[in-house]
Amino acid sequence: PDSASIARMRRAWGLGNAVARPLSRVGRVRDVQKSLPSRYNSKRAMQSAEERNGYTNFPNPIRGVDKVSWFPNQEGRDLTWHNLEADDARASMIAPLLPEELQHSARVLKRSLPHLGVNLMVGAAAEITRDRPGNGGFRLWVYSDLETAEREAIGLAQGMEVKHTTYNTGFAGAKVVCDASGANNSVLNVNKNELMKATAALLHELNGTMYTGCDLNTTTGDMDNLSQDCPYVLAAIANEAVNPNDATAYGVLGAVESVLEHFHGKTVVVHGCGSVGGTVARELVRAGARVYTIDADVAKADIFGATNISKGTPNYVEEFWKMEIDALVPCSISGLISMEMAKTLGCKAIVGATNLPFKSIEVQQFVEDSGITFVPEGVSSAGAVIVDSIEHFDLKAFKEAQPIDIYEFCRHVVLEKTTELLLTARLREIVTSKATKFISEEYGASEEHNYSQMPIGRTFRFWAQGRGSVINPGAAGTRKALSRDAP
């Protein structure tokens, strides 16, 4: 690349102006490599124009700068989105949480990679564009058939849409799903390096309309590899001290705090003590709650100050759902709560990080109709997408932020939104899940001077500057619920 191209690339990554003096190609490469974060030292980005045969430059308006990227020309490749029938799109458990106009607009893009034994697909809750690109993690799993994988991609994308619209992240709901059933039915048999290269090619073809990150069976290392070949990765790469799982955990804490009003003396069961649930349990203990922990890996549930009631421990509680507690916080598998369990639940509220904690929509309806407060994960488990929004829309603030500031921002924002949800449900005399569609935010990325319509990532720096002035948590959510149109 010439000096002007390097300057644009450095500005895109928030690195200031390039060195103005003429440099040889080798000199230019070394200069940029010294300045770029290690995760961005892409050999492909440093190749000469001749070596980039088949690649094209394009401007990316999302961050307000010209980002130099290259994507392979894939003439003849199928990039056709397949729209689901309206009834099929509405059939997922997430669809009722969406506004009516988004309940029947789901679509999926599929690509077969037989040389890797996988089928790669992108699910989207609605149309994705460069003005409002799709955002969702990369899930690698073995599915019973392609139709099941497609349904999961759509359901997960709709779940992401709830999060993105609820918090006005500036993104649309989407998900990358890879079915590894052709790799001898094991994700361990998938050549991840080649898979990341194939994914990078697909993301390049989508031309800035889709961003992805970590999810089930994909790691930060995988995202590092993916970022070597394309810029469409959001996984806290620009600030390695930030952990998206901790951001999610702090968001869950904010939701639980809104429901319980305070932690001291409250009884809570945390089901699943991995990267999210473990943090939730530790912080609840620190806040004065009486915490019970459960995990299939017994050691993970050994949280200082908590009581481990996992199978194989002296305090094992087989039917934990019958315990008389203030809140059940599921941070483990989907479909945890069956109808049999629902009939004997002893908790007053269910607030967690798990996607789809109920076996079916009928179970969820039964639980809510019984008077148990349920905060949908689209509200409670949004920390990671909030982090993505900061990283994407205010890269400088993200790079300079202390992790705890970002985590506390997620906690604050989710607490306010949960408070708004609970009051909206009460005012409309409906269950909380049905109130979710009424607390969506209006997206206005072009409204630079309209704070209420800014993507939430752009508001972080203002919150961080005045965080000491927050004296009444939940007040903003209450105000917003009361200001919305009457039912």
Side-chain angles (χ1 to χ4, degrees):
D2 58 21
S3 297
S5 296
I6 292 176
R8 287 196 299 273
M9 182 161 62
R10 288 170 60 98
R11 289 197 301 273
W13 297 120
L15 299 170
N17 294 322
V19 177
R21 66 180 185 275
L23 296 171
S24 66
R25 192 179 80 82
V26 173
R28 290 199 300 270
V29 168
R30 286 176 179 168
D31 178 64
V32 175
Q33 284 179 327
K34 288 177 182 178
S35 301
L36 285 172
S38 60
R39 293 184 180 186
Y40 292 128
N41 282 338
S42 167
K43 291 182 181 179
R44 182 181 298 283
M46 303 306 163
Q47 290 173 326
S48 66
E50 294 77 17
E51 292 169 321
R52 294 197 321 268
N53 183 32
Y55 285 74
T56 309
N57 289 341
F58 70 90
N60 186 338
I62 300 299
R63 288 181 180 163
V65 295
D66 289 332
K67 179 188 298 182
V68 177
S69 297
W70 302 279
F71 58 94
N73 296 318
Q74 297 282 354
E75 296 182 4
R77 296 296 295 269
D78 180 18
L79 273 181
T80 303
W81 288 90
H82 303 278
N83 294 329
L84 268 67
E85 296 293 334
D87 289 342
D88 291 336
R90 288 195 186 97
S92 80
M93 291 176 63
I94 296 294
L97 305 180
L98 294 168
E100 178 65 29
E101 63 272 17
L102 291 177
Q103 291 184 13
H104 50 79
S105 55
R107 59 200 66 197
V108 65
L109 173 66
K110 294 177 283 189
R111 174 163 294 172
S112 177
L113 301 171
H115 65 294
L116 297 177
V118 303
N119 287 291
L120 190 63
M121 60 189 73
V122 177
E127 182 182 7
I128 55 177
T129 66
R130 291 182 69 175
D131 288 331
R132 191 166 182 255
N135 170 254
F138 187 140
R139 176 165 296 198
L140 177 61
W141 192 243
V142 174
Y143 296 91
S144 57
D145 52 62
L146 198 57
E147 183 179 345
T148 301
E150 181 178 323
R151 283 200 303 270
E152 172 124 312
I154 292 301
L156 292 170
Q158 289 177 326
M160 294 301 296
E161 180 70 16
V162 173
K163 297 179 183 180
H164 289 307
T165 57
T166 296
Y167 290 96
N168 185 18
T169 63
F171 292 105
K175 202 81 171 182
V176 178
V177 168
C178 183
D179 173 24
S181 58
N184 293 323
N185 287 314
S186 175
V187 298
L188 300 177
N189 295 326
V190 176
N191 184 328
K192 279 193 171 182
N193 288 333
E194 292 302 315
L195 177 59
M196 293 304 128
K197 291 183 183 298
T199 303
L202 179 59
L203 292 175
H204 276 305
E205 291 174 67
L206 289 171
N207 197 8
T209 63
M210 179 65 199
Y211 287 76
T212 193
C214 298
D215 199 82
L216 189 63
N217 290 318
T218 55
T219 66
T220 54
D222 296 326
M223 294 304 108
D224 286 345
N225 289 338
L226 181 58
S227 71
Q228 300 300 305
D229 293 310
C230 76
Y232 308 115
V233 181
L234 291 171
I237 288 177
N239 187 336
E240 296 186 19
V242 175
N243 185 335
N245 290 321
D246 285 344
T248 299
Y250 271 71
V252 172
L253 287 167
V256 176
E257 183 178 359
S258 176
V259 172
L260 301 184
E261 298 184 352
H262 63 85
F263 293 133
H264 187 72
K266 300 292 185 177
T267 53
V268 179
V269 168
V270 178
H271 192 283
C273 298
S275 53
V276 173
T279 300
V280 171
R282 280 186 287 271
E283 292 302 319
L284 285 171
V285 169
R286 288 180 59 190
R290 185 174 182 181
V291 181
Y292 300 91
T293 54
I294 304 172
D295 199 282
D297 184 342
V298 177
K300 287 184 178 180
D302 280 333
I303 306 291
F304 180 78
T307 302
N308 188 345
I309 59 172
S310 305
K311 186 175 182 179
T313 65
N315 297 307
Y316 173 49
V317 178
E318 182 177 2
E319 297 179 323
F320 66 88
W321 59 90
K322 293 183 179 180
M323 296 174 65
E324 297 291 332
I325 55 175
D326 292 297
L328 171 62
V329 183
C331 299
S332 54
I333 60 172
S334 298
L336 172 67
I337 303 171
S338 65
M339 183 60 79
E340 291 71 25
M341 295 168 63
K343 292 177 180 179
T344 54
L345 279 172
C347 61
K348 298 176 184 177
I350 299 174
V351 191
T354 299
N355 291 318
L356 306 176
F358 302 101
K359 284 282 189 186
S360 66
I361 188 66
E362 290 77 20
V363 177
Q364 177 182 318
Q365 290 171 348
F366 178 87
V367 168
E368 292 196 275
D369 290 343
S370 70
I372 295 174
T373 299
F374 167 57
V375 178
E377 64 277 9
V379 177
S380 61
S381 183
V385 299
I386 294 170
V387 169
D388 285 349
S389 186
I390 302 170
E391 183 178 8
H392 189 72
F393 287 102
D394 197 344
L395 185 60
K396 185 175 185 295
F398 181 76
K399 290 170 65 175
E400 295 174 352
Q402 293 298 314
I404 191 61
D405 286 338
I406 290 180
Y407 303 156
E408 288 293 350
F409 177 67
C410 293
R411 179 175 181 164
H412 166 77
V413 168
V414 175
L415 185 154
E416 296 289 357
K417 185 59 69 174
T418 305
T419 300
E420 182 187 351
L421 173 71
L422 298 175
L423 184 54
T424 299
R426 193 176 309 141
L427 292 172
R428 293 177 177 268
E429 299 182 341
I430 55 179
V431 296
T432 50
S433 65
K434 291 184 178 179
T436 305
K437 66 181 69 176
F438 298 113
I439 63 170
S440 297
E441 299 293 344
E442 182 179 0
Y443 175 64
S446 62
E447 302 289 337
E448 295 291 344
H449 304 294
N450 187 338
Y451 185 89
S452 65
Q453 291 189 17
M454 282 185 183
I456 196 167
R458 286 183 181 164
T459 70
F460 166 68
R461 66 167 61 238
F462 305 114
W463 176 88
Q465 291 167 0
R467 61 177 294 189
S469 64
V470 179
I471 58 175
N472 188 10
T478 299
R479 222 171 23 248
K480 189 169 287 187
L482 292 173
S483 68
R484 291 187 184 274
D485 292 339

